[in-house]
């Protein structure tokens, strides 16, 4: 049985009907999924792609913006927003959205990745590289230990050694 009030179930139904090329029914399921739970990240991308294939770009942009508002870490939505804005000749607007997002949450790597793509499409390579460097810097701060250029490798190795030692103490290898 499928729970009709489950955003996940409705999203899955939408994706299945989309694979069967029933765009109208898929659109209904996906819109219902968003209505049930707008914080569920999965229905935005397939619904946006349906709108894009039907050349309903303004609706797709509104949908991507709404989804991005609810789920700001969703990099798929951000990239689709950049691409649709480019098709409509509205990269400047997309740039403003993402710059605003970058000022509100400077640690959001999705925002900087999208800005890098926008700057690259506009031919502003220096700003694009700067945005991509912010992404790389944020990622390296998460994975590297201070003072070690290969800290993430050492951290994983240490974690593995600890796990093996613990299992050996508990009676052998597991």
């Amino acid at each position: 049985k499928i729970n009709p009030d489950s955003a996940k179930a409705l999203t899955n139904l939408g994706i299945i009907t989309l694979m069967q090329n029933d765009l109208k029914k898929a659109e209904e399921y996906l819109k219902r999924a968003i209505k049930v739970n707008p914080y569920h990240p999965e229905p935005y991308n397939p619904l946006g792609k349906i709108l894009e294939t039907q050349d309903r770009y303004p609706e797709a942009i509104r949908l991507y913006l709404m989804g991005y508002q609810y789920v700001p870490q969703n990099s798929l939505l951000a990239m689709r927003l950049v691409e649709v804005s480019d098709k409509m000749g509205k990269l400047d607007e997309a740039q403003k959205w993402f710059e605003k997002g970058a000022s509100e949450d400077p640690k959001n790597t999705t925002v900087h990745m999208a800005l890098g793509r926008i700057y690259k499409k506009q031919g502003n390579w220096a700003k694009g590289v700067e945005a991509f460097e912010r992404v790389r810097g944020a990622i390296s701060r998460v994975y590297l230990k201070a003072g070690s250029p290969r800290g993430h490798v050492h951290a994983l190795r240490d974690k593995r050694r600890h796990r093996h030692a613990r299992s050996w103490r508990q009676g052998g290898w597991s």
Side-chain angles (χ1 to χ4, degrees):
K1 295 243 177 188
I2 295 173
N3 180 357
D5 293 325
S6 167
K8 178 75 173 162
L10 290 167
T11 300
N12 288 340
L13 284 171
I15 291 171
I16 289 168
T17 53
L18 179 61
M19 289 189 300
Q20 296 169 345
N21 288 325
D22 189 350
L23 298 182
K24 187 177 181 183
K25 199 169 190 173
E27 184 177 342
E28 290 172 15
Y29 282 130
L30 294 167
K31 281 183 176 179
R32 233 170 84 205
I34 291 171
K35 194 174 187 178
V36 168
N37 183 2
Y39 294 97
H40 183 63
E42 293 178 22
Y44 292 101
N45 196 43
L47 180 56
K49 287 191 177 193
I50 290 171
L51 297 173
E52 285 182 54
T53 59
Q54 297 172 345
D55 295 332
R56 294 161 54 189
Y57 296 124
E59 284 181 69
I61 283 182
R62 280 193 302 276
L63 175 79
Y64 290 140
L65 280 173
M66 183 176 77
Y68 189 74
Q69 173 189 349
Y70 287 116
V71 191
Q73 298 295 336
N74 192 331
S75 57
L76 277 176
L77 289 179
M79 295 308 128
R80 293 308 317 147
L81 186 56
V82 170
E83 295 303 319
V84 174
S85 297
D86 188 27
K87 286 179 185 175
M88 291 184 65
K90 295 187 175 190
L91 269 180
D92 293 336
E93 285 183 39
Q95 180 181 342
K96 288 176 190 169
W97 298 322
F98 288 113
E99 284 176 347
K100 181 179 180 236
S103 68
E104 291 172 358
D105 184 6
K107 293 182 182 179
N108 185 341
T109 56
T110 300
V111 170
H112 296 294
M113 185 65 87
L115 278 171
R117 289 186 67 164
I118 289 171
Y119 295 141
K120 187 177 116 185
K121 286 178 179 288
Q122 292 172 333
N124 193 342
W125 292 95
K127 278 186 126 177
V129 168
E130 187 180 303
F132 290 132
E133 287 293 325
R134 277 191 228 110
V135 173
R136 191 175 67 112
I139 290 172
S140 64
R141 279 192 301 277
V142 170
Y143 292 108
L144 294 179
K145 285 183 176 178
S148 171
R150 295 188 44 148
H152 64 289
V153 174
H154 300 303
L156 291 173
R157 186 185 63 213
D158 294 345
K159 187 175 180 181
R160 205 175 306 122
R161 282 183 183 162
H162 177 72
R163 188 178 63 234
H164 287 309
R166 186 181 64 225
S167 64
W168 182 254
R169 282 191 303 268
Q170 293 172 350
W173 299 108
S174 56

